[in-house]
Amino acid sequence: MSEEMKDRIVHYWTARAAGYSALNREELGWETCEKWLLAMESVFPDRPKKEMRILDVGTGPGFMAILLTKAGYFPDACDCTAEMLKEARRNAGEYEDRIKLHLMNADALGFADGTFDAIVSRNLTWNLPNPCICYAEWLRVLKPGGRVVIFDANWYRYLFDEEARLGYDRDRDEVAKKAITDFNIGPNFNVMEDIARLLPMSKKHRPFWDRDKMLEVGYGRVDICEDIWTDVWTAEEKTNYASTPMFRITGMKGI
């Protein structure tokens, strides 16, 4: 993927930072926060919190990292956009000094081999221009026995698949029928669609594509949970995204 495409992605998320941050602040007050934390902790290595070194990749406005700090962890968090990190710092509030924030690309982490016990990401991998390089890089910085925990969905598959398009359109109709907020309508939405048409993950059959590639780059085991969305999403999210259910991928580094 060209540097021009990477710049387009950074520019898009820089422009989205304030709006996305506002949504994350709302989420931090939802009852689903405990479920998000459980969805991470349930697949973490069995190690004491004080000894766990965790990296939130593509932290955005800091949602996952903040949940981890509130639970007693001291995570690192990185993002490729400085504006998102500013929002993460602001959203962390009293927990700011418990999160180490880094301006980094997901495919070039500035950490030594074997640094982390766990790496988490939410809604990141779909917009990676070079996912296999990222998966190899995340494996590199994991300790033996460490885990990569990915939460994502086939967000833009409807651009390439007719069945997915029909499902997406049904979701929009159901949202309108229930008179709830449509999360797929907003500023610059068409801009992201234009970018997504050029991203490799938009066309993949996920999460099974990810599992195969992660095994190829050296993960010892990769587990998939296709129905994690039933635990972590609100009723509004389930209506908005019925045709694109969130999955969880857990990649384990061999000991």
Side-chain angles (χ1 to χ4, degrees):
M1 189 68 65
S2 69
E3 288 301 315
E4 180 184 356
M5 175 55 67
K6 290 182 181 179
D7 289 343
R8 286 181 67 184
I9 294 171
V10 170
H11 179 76
Y12 172 81
W13 287 112
T14 296
R16 276 285 310 277
Y20 195 40
S21 182
L23 174 60
N24 272 203
R25 285 195 297 275
E26 285 186 32
E27 285 187 279
L28 288 167
W30 294 349
E31 61 181 17
T32 49
C33 284
E34 291 185 6
K35 296 178 180 179
W36 273 109
L37 182 62
L38 178 60
M40 289 188 280
E41 289 188 312
S42 63
V43 292
F44 278 174
D46 185 16
R47 296 170 189 168
K49 288 183 180 180
K50 292 183 179 179
E51 297 178 12
M52 284 276 286
R53 188 84 187 271
I54 303 173
L55 174 65
D56 177 15
V57 180
T59 190
F63 178 77
M64 301 293 258
I66 294 168
L67 289 185
L68 290 166
T69 63
K70 290 182 175 181
Y73 298 95
F74 292 79
D76 290 71
C78 68
D79 202 274
C80 66
T81 61
E83 202 62 33
M84 284 291 191
L85 293 177
K86 289 180 183 178
E87 295 292 336
R89 186 173 291 106
R90 181 162 72 97
N91 293 340
E94 63 184 289
Y95 297 97
E96 179 188 350
D97 62 350
R98 295 175 60 169
I99 306 173
K100 297 178 182 177
L101 296 171
H102 310 270
L103 182 63
M104 287 181 189
N105 290 327
D107 60 357
L109 301 175
F111 302 106
D113 295 358
T115 297
F116 296 101
D117 298 283
I119 296 173
V120 300
S121 79
R122 184 181 78 143
N123 296 334
L124 165 71
T125 51
W126 68 269
N127 68 171
L128 292 174
N130 46 12
C132 292
I133 293 175
C134 290
Y135 289 161
E137 178 70 350
W138 300 355
L139 180 66
R140 178 186 69 79
V141 301
L142 273 185
K143 296 177 183 178
R147 315 288 168 83
V148 166
V149 187
I150 297 165
F151 299 92
D152 209 355
N154 288 288
W155 295 118
Y156 288 93
R157 188 161 175 77
Y158 67 84
L159 295 173
F160 300 96
D161 182 280
E162 182 59 28
E163 184 176 350
R165 166 57 73 176
L166 292 173
Y168 177 84
D169 290 341
R170 283 195 299 271
D171 294 346
R172 308 283 65 74
D173 291 342
E174 191 65 20
V175 165
K177 186 186 303 182
K178 292 184 177 181
I180 61 176
T181 301
D182 192 328
F183 299 148
N184 285 274
I185 296 175
N188 298 322
F189 187 75
N190 291 340
V191 176
M192 191 64 245
E193 278 194 336
D194 289 342
I195 294 173
R197 285 187 176 90
L198 302 175
L199 291 171
M201 294 295 234
S202 300
K203 300 178 182 180
K204 304 302 182 186
H205 291 277
R206 307 184 66 201
F208 303 103
W209 182 90
D210 304 72
R211 178 194 60 193
D212 294 346
K213 294 303 178 182
M214 291 172 78
L215 290 171
E216 283 181 19
V217 302
Y219 289 81
R221 175 177 166 181
V222 180
D223 292 336
I224 291 171
C225 178
E226 292 187 83
D227 60 357
I228 198 66
W229 63 275
T230 63
D231 294 331
V232 299
W233 275 353
T234 64
E236 279 196 347
E237 287 174 309
K238 290 173 181 177
T239 300
N240 265 272
Y241 308 132
S243 65
T244 52
M246 176 160 280
F247 50 78
R248 182 185 64 198
I249 306 169
T250 307
M252 287 152 273
K253 186 171 184 175
I255 297 176

